[in-house]
Every structure is written in C-alpha cells, then in structure tokens.
Amino acid sequence: MFSVATSVTTVFTLTGPQDRLRQIAEERAYRTCAADQMTWEDDTTLVMTLENGIGTPFLHHGDGLSDEYPDVSIRGMEYFDCFDDPSFAKWQGGQLVYEAELITVFSILFPTDPSRDWAGCSASFWHRSQPLSAAIAENCPDLDLMPLRQLAGPAPGWVQTSDGFATLFLRLPSTHDAQDGLGVIFYPGIGRSTLLTGIDRFGGVARFRRQAYGQIGAQCPELRAVLRDCWKAEEKKRRKARQERRVLKRKASKEGKASLFHLFDTDPWVV
C-alpha cells in the first residue's frame, strides 16, 4: 500500500504598523515559520508562508494568531497541491470576519488575451457560500467574469469556449451585483450536459444539476441551434464511447469487479 504525501501551503498576511509587525516577525520566527519564509509586501504588510501544513487546523492556527495579536488585521489562505479548492479567512480585532472554501464545480480556460504568458482567462465556478464574494474580492481581486462580455458568442448575451471534451456556454450576470448568470456545460462526446444557475461575477454558483440535452434546449431556446450542431458533430464519438463503456462493464462483471465500475466514469468533473 502506497502512502501519498499531499503538499499543503498556508499563507498568513498580517497588516498593521511597521514597528508592530517587526516585533511579531521576531516573536514568530521558527514558531509559525522559518525566518526566510517571511516576506514584506510593503512597510505595513508581513506575509508568513508555511509549507506542508502547520501541524494544527488552519482556522485554529489563525484564531491563535488573532488572539495573540488583536491589533493587526490577518488574512489567511490554505490550499493543497496546485491551488485546488483554496480556503480563505480573515481576522480583525481578534475576531473571525469570514471563512470561505472555494470548492470547484467546474473550471475551463477562455483564450482571451494573447499578450499574456498563459493560455487565457480561467473561468472557475464554485459552490457559493455567504462570505465567498468578500473572500474573493479581497484575496483574488483579478478574478472577475464580467470582462468576458467583450467576446463574441453563439447567441446574444452568451459566450462560449471548449477544451475539446467539454464545451461551456455562459450567460454572464446582468449587472456586477447580480446573481442571475447561467451556464451550460455540454459534453457532446458522451451525451451529457449540466446546468449551472445563479452565477455571480466571481463564479459563485447557487445550484448545478445534470440535465438531458433536450431539457437544456427547452430551458435555453436561444442555444438550440448551436447545441444541435454540437450534438450532431459528435455522434460517432458518442457511439464509440457507449461501446467502450459496455465492454468495460462486461469485463468488470466477469471479473467480479462490478462495484469498481465507477472508476471508469467518463464524466469526472460534475455529478
């Protein structure tokens, strides 16, 4: 049996008078993290980075810092491996102001800016919680779906992108403060689709559910033509995927491993 190590990174950002932060840096060196893992963003902002966990739960450790230093503002962030599903928290005056986990529903790239050194604008969608907007606005100020309005789309008010397997049709919120955006994730190669409702400009999602291709077309009539084209274009791929799935299922059944068949599920992102 293998044991797989999970890399955990925790970052605490302390804001306050410079003299006070220098005192805290001296006191917390090798208690919270090594001295070389403390950096200054500016004269009033001290950042402490902890690799591979902190030995105690994220919130508990932040509560301890806040109790000990109630005169400084503390923001905390913790993430696993490649920044998946990060957690954010903030303490002010010794009290927890918010705590939010960005649990990913779906993420895809929009190739929008060739001048950047990466493929495009990441459009990520999360389970929305009450403090999510405040956490994103403060910790990820560049995360905003609204600039995607400038793109041409398949229908008025909609934008579209694909990674070759899934295609996202996105109707952006009507205003910056609205939570009425709509998303359709379409997997034409396997004949599945998912509807995201109540999307805000930060990508927070009120609800997502799998729906049939026909149901999506009925709820979003303006997308019927483009959905039909996608559906027809991938007909051969769907037939092949169904055949491969039947073969795997028969093989698993013969080997007495039917209970493991879920490992061959071809829709790993949204359930």
Side-chain angles (χ1 to χ4, degrees), residues 13-206:
T13 301
L14 284 66
T15 304
Q18 185 181 35
D19 291 344
R20 179 59 168 148
L21 293 182
R22 291 193 180 281
Q23 176 191 348
I24 293 172
E26 293 176 1
E27 293 176 354
R28 303 303 298 194
Y30 299 103
R31 288 179 58 197
T32 298
C33 63
D36 60 2
Q37 289 183 298
M38 296 183 180
T39 59
W40 293 88
E41 282 191 359
D42 53 50
D43 291 342
T44 60
T45 307
L46 174 66
V47 180
M48 302 178 180
T49 302
L50 297 80
E51 303 289 346
N52 294 321
I54 54 181
T56 54
F58 168 53
L59 286 178
H60 179 71
H61 198 94
D63 287 339
L65 284 174
S66 180
D67 288 342
E68 192 166 352
Y69 308 112
D71 54 332
V72 299
S73 174
I74 301 172
R75 286 186 292 117
M77 177 180 70
E78 183 171 81
Y79 59 92
F80 297 84
D81 293 325
C82 300
F83 205 77
D84 287 339
D85 297 341
S87 298
F88 294 101
K90 180 180 181 180
W91 293 264
Q92 189 86 45
Q95 300 294 321
L96 180 65
V97 178
Y98 63 71
E99 186 270 327
E101 291 189 33
L102 276 66
I103 302 173
T104 307
V105 171
F106 181 76
S107 187
I108 197 169
L109 287 176
F110 272 90
T112 57
D113 191 348
S115 68
R116 299 201 179 193
D117 59 357
W118 43 282
C121 169
S122 179
S124 296
F125 302 92
W126 330 87
H127 290 273
R128 187 165 62 237
S129 60
Q130 187 172 357
L132 184 68
S133 296
I136 291 179
E138 190 161 31
N139 294 277
C140 310
D142 295 327
L143 184 59
D144 189 349
L145 297 176
M146 299 306 277
L148 296 176
R149 283 187 181 279
Q150 63 187 331
L151 302 179
W158 291 82
V159 293
Q160 172 187 352
T161 192
S162 175
D163 61 5
F165 177 60
T167 297
L168 171 68
F169 301 95
L170 176 63
R171 190 182 72 194
L172 293 158
S174 56
T175 67
H176 271 67
D177 298 325
Q179 298 179 349
D180 56 1
L182 195 64
V184 174
I185 306 168
F186 191 42
Y187 307 97
I190 59 175
R192 294 183 181 176
S193 51
T194 300
L195 184 69
L196 311 178
T197 57
I199 299 173
D200 62 25
R201 69 187 180 99
F202 298 113
V205 175

